[in-house]
Amino acid sequence: MSVNLQTPIDYLKGVGPSRADLLRSELGIQTYQDLLNLFPNRYIDRTRYYKINELQRNSAEVQIVGKITGFREVAQKRGKRLVADFRDDTGIMELVWFRGQKWIREQVKTGQTYVIFGKTNWFGGKFSMPHPEMELQKEHEANLRSAMQAIYPSTEKLANRGITNRIVTKIMQQLFLESKGRFVETLPDSVMKDLKLVSKSEAIFNIHFPKTPELLAKAQFRLKFEELFYIQLQLIIKNLIHKSKIKGFTFDKVGPYFNRFYKEHLPFDLTQAQKRVLKEIRHDLGTNAQMNRLLQGDVGSGKTIVAFMSMLMGLDNDFQCCLMAPTAILSVQHYQGLKELCEPLGISIALLTGSTKTSERKIIHENLENGNLQILIGTHAVLEDKVKFKNLGLAIIDEQHRFGVAQRSKLWRKNNLPPNVLVMTATPIPRTLAMSVYGDLDISIIDELPAGRKPIKTVHRFDNNRLKVFKFIKDEIALGRQIYVVYPLIQESENMDYKDLMDGYESISREFPMPKYQISIVHGKMKPADKDYEMERFVKGETQIMVATTVIEVGVNVPNASVMVIESSERFGLSQLHQLRGRVGRGAEQSYCILMTSRKLSEDSKTRLQTMVRSSDGFEIAEVDLKLRGPGDLMGTQQSGVLNLRIADVVKDKDILQEARHYAKNILNKDPSLAAPEHQVILNTYRQMSKYRNIWNYIS
Ligand code: ADP
Ligand code: MG
């Protein structure tokens, strides 16, 4: 009988209540199982001993054999530190203690040979090691050494309370003793054989106490696969349940609205990608399961026309449709653009935002309920309970990351059946990642820009070249073009950013004086009505320069704007820079993006700027962004607990992710309820996971 892995960690020999509390609060370890799943960050070679003259200044962990030749106390700002001289036959270094000094003085003897272990610092022309782990050489030699000793995740508090890596390793050893190292298998035989995976017990042992690098690699592969397999399984099951249970409206015919528009009014030829995506949407809408589709397309790829033509499918089947955008500015633009397309077809369309007058609002409400209104465009205002449709068949959400899942689900309550949902985003998320984040959505991608677009020329300029940049802007304005100048506005330092913006606005006003030049300014502290007014002036071409914070990042379409100047661009994330750049290059003229920075740049900032200058491919940029920032920071994924992975990395391990998805899919295809005896192990593991881990709650 193996131990029960759900046993609270307090019961493990060597842990006790105070350590248990720390393990819980610092590392979230509640049970034996959680401890087993505390996977090492890395491994170091404990059979290797360094000489002091071999030390490098990179502060890695090393072990050294030597003797303490003397102690001294050094006064510092608060209290004092204890310093020991430590020598071997090649040199001398210092050991340092900031705490527990009395104990060290009593326990540690000078003149005896010790093996010390820890991180070294290069400080004041000498190497030093703070709070080394120490063992007398005699004792040290009695213990087994591994060429790959696990280094576990830790926190400052754990280190301060004496829960060192050595202690964690000891506790882990104790757990293996009690459980005899035997753990229940969690993957089915067929998969194990197919992929030649090592068993669960072998993997768990070798991840903590690897015997050889090969065994470690096998253990890592197996555990990564397992982790990703169960996540994919969960996502696919959710998707299946969704498809089978949630009936949606069926749009079974393609009728006159769609056909007439396509034949007579389409203003341009659709790109291949647009056609493909329309087919995918058409297929979804033609089935009786509710559509839940994510449409990804880089800025300027032409998502709006796809949205419009999808709505026409709805109208052809006598349903109402709505399109929601995250800002009033954007809704107004959509409304104006789509109204023109609706007119020749005789389609009724209205706009509803926070600033719609009460009298108009009343009319809209009425016409929605009696079915006279066919298309509603708007902001969050559309979600209000007062807004009732006669029969909403399709809801489209533009720029998805500004809408939460809760808001998506609000839409559902507008009918007896949930409307079909199309979510459009310009934040490119690599497909592999999208799969694990938006597993409940089907994904369509427009991966092609309309023909004839001139690539935007992107350059990086230092602040002291500003005069040349101003000159360039003047030349462009003289050609009749318009200019954006964008400042960062980052929440924590909002007031300082606000000052930067105002200073910038002033210097631009001086450089571009009225009445020859007109300047708009838009920022988050303005009233929505004032924002709209300023924006409107720019859209109409009454102002040549738009000074703004990132509020204009989303979706605004001013084809005559040809220059995007981004101030302090080193402070923006890559995907944000890419979104901003997408505001220009929408017309026939050559467009430019100028990234302004100071001379002081971090390595990451340099990489970001170089990437922007080199590439205009949103997906490539997203991949670089992901590597720089890690998936947790990716816009729109922060809330997603799915990415809290223990061992796998959705970027680095994307091949394993794909493999795991492939297997999960195949198994569920053949055996959707996991009823076959060979799948019993999956079902058990799956139930266990949903019972003890609630990461699934985050997904949808
Ligand atoms: P986004 O995907 O960023 O929302 P839009 O839908 O606003 O892009 O389209 C950007 C611009 O490209 C619009 O002016 C639109 O009319 C135009 N456009 C869209 N599709 C095509 C196409 N197939 N050929 C030419 N122009 C197109
Ligand atoms: Mg758009």
Side-chain angles (χ1 to χ4, degrees), residues 133-189:
E133 290 185 23
M134 304 185 68
E135 254 179 326
L136 282 167
Q137 193 182 27
K138 279 177 287 183
E139 289 165 19
H140 179 81
E141 275 165 5
N143 290 329
L144 280 179
R145 296 291 134 201
S146 158
M148 277 170 294
Q149 151 110 58
I151 302 294
Y152 290 98
S154 185
T155 65
E156 208 174 320
K157 196 161 170 195
L158 282 177
N160 284 346
R161 302 287 189 85
I163 304 192
T164 58
N165 198 64
R166 192 163 58 136
I167 299 293
V168 176
T169 306
K170 272 195 174 158
I171 297 173
M172 196 68 82
Q173 279 166 344
Q174 182 60 34
L175 179 53
F176 274 79
L177 268 180
E178 288 190 18
S179 63
K180 305 195 179 62
R182 282 205 299 270
F183 305 107
V184 177
E185 186 50 60
T186 47
L187 289 172
D189 267 352

Side-chain angles (χ1 to χ4, degrees), residues 11-251:
Y11 293 92
L12 190 63
K13 200 174 148 210
V15 175
S18 75
R19 279 183 180 171
D21 279 345
L22 279 170
L23 289 172
R24 264 191 293 270
S25 63
E26 293 297 296
L27 297 173
I29 295 174
Q30 314 261 2
T31 62
Y32 285 16
Q33 174 91 60
D34 295 336
L35 182 61
L36 276 184
N37 285 336
L38 179 72
F39 295 136
N41 285 335
R42 61 207 163 79
Y43 301 84
I44 52 134
D45 187 348
R46 292 296 302 254
T47 61
R48 167 95 156 89
Y49 299 90
Y50 283 78
K51 294 288 186 190
I52 291 175
N53 69 357
E54 287 179 303
L55 295 178
Q56 304 281 329
R57 292 190 205 177
N58 57 8
S59 89
E61 269 127 342
V62 291
Q63 58 184 356
I64 309 169
V65 184
K67 289 177 184 165
I68 289 178
T69 54
F71 284 104
R72 63 183 176 279
E73 282 172 354
V74 180
Q76 52 183 37
K77 226 187 238 159
R78 282 199 296 153
K80 55 189 192 303
R81 62 178 185 270
L82 177 66
V83 179
D85 288 322
F86 185 81
R87 286 174 188 276
D88 68 5
D89 48 3
T90 69
I92 182 163
M93 64 183 287
E94 291 181 346
L95 310 182
V96 185
W97 293 268
F98 301 95
R99 298 169 302 275
Q101 301 168 353
K102 183 158 168 279
W103 190 84
I104 295 289
R105 285 305 288 266
E106 283 165 13
Q107 298 293 317
V108 177
K109 302 178 185 68
T110 55
Q112 302 251 25
T113 307
Y114 279 95
V115 179
I116 61 164
F117 171 76
K119 270 192 182 167
T120 56
N121 293 325
W122 176 255
F123 185 73
K126 265 185 246 167
F127 282 103
S128 64
M129 187 184 287
H131 290 257
E133 290 185 23
M134 304 185 68
E135 254 179 326
L136 282 167
Q137 193 182 27
K138 279 177 287 183
E139 289 165 19
H140 179 81
E141 275 165 5
N143 290 329
L144 280 179
R145 296 291 134 201
S146 158
M148 277 170 294
Q149 151 110 58
I151 302 294
Y152 290 98
S154 185
T155 65
E156 208 174 320
K157 196 161 170 195
L158 282 177
N160 284 346
R161 302 287 189 85
I163 304 192
T164 58
N165 198 64
R166 192 163 58 136
I167 299 293
V168 176
T169 306
K170 272 195 174 158
I171 297 173
M172 196 68 82
Q173 279 166 344
Q174 182 60 34
L175 179 53
F176 274 79
L177 268 180
E178 288 190 18
S179 63
K180 305 195 179 62
R182 282 205 299 270
F183 305 107
V184 177
E185 186 50 60
T186 47
L187 289 172
D189 267 352
S190 55
V191 176
M192 303 265 299
K193 285 209 186 96
D194 235 31
L195 291 171
K196 301 196 175 58
L197 300 178
V198 295
S199 71
K200 177 82 171 190
S201 298
E202 211 179 331
I204 288 286
F205 182 83
N206 278 291
I207 203 78
H208 293 295
F209 310 103
K211 284 187 235 153
T212 65
E214 293 72 37
L215 285 171
L216 173 60
K218 283 187 176 166
Q220 286 170 325
F221 183 85
R222 187 227 136 95
L223 294 170
K224 286 177 179 180
F225 178 88
E226 176 181 343
E227 181 167 48
L228 294 169
F229 174 81
Y230 278 101
I231 286 174
Q232 292 307 319
L233 195 82
Q234 172 74 26
L235 292 173
I236 297 166
I237 288 174
K238 275 189 75 104
N239 211 349
L240 287 178
I241 293 175
H242 192 80
K243 282 223 164 94
S244 62
K245 280 207 192 132
I246 300 175
K247 294 267 181 293
F249 298 114
T250 314
F251 299 178

Side-chain angles (χ1 to χ4, degrees), residues 267-271 274 297-305 334 398-399 424 426 446 450-451 453 555 557 559 583 586:
F268 36 66
D269 290 336
L270 295 177
T271 62
Q274 285 170 322
D298 212 342
V299 282
S301 63
K303 293 184 292 294
T304 315
I305 198 79
H334 273 317
D398 196 12
E399 307 295 352
M424 305 198 293
I446 304 185
R453 288 275 169 80
N557 192 22
R583 296 306 113 219
R586 309 191 139 233

Side-chain angles (χ1 to χ4, degrees), residues 530-599:
D530 295 342
K531 258 196 259 183
D532 290 351
Y533 172 76
E534 288 285 308
M535 196 65 221
E536 197 61 39
R537 294 208 304 150
F538 189 66
V539 172
K540 285 190 189 139
E542 292 170 8
T543 59
Q544 296 96 353
I545 302 178
M546 160 63 74
V547 176
T549 57
T550 46
V551 291
I552 60 142
E553 174 194 343
V554 171
V556 181
N557 192 22
V558 181
N560 188 47
S562 67
V563 183
M564 167 64 65
V565 181
I566 306 176
E567 294 286 347
S568 304
S569 57
E570 70 270 28
R571 292 180 55 199
F572 290 87
L574 254 181
S575 59
Q576 217 177 3
L577 289 174
H578 181 65
Q579 292 292 312
L580 285 169
R581 179 169 60 182
R583 296 306 113 219
V584 296
R586 309 191 139 233
E589 308 306 332
Q590 176 63 54
S591 293
Y592 305 87
C593 175
I594 304 173
L595 305 167
M596 304 296 297
T597 72
S598 67
R599 293 229 168 234

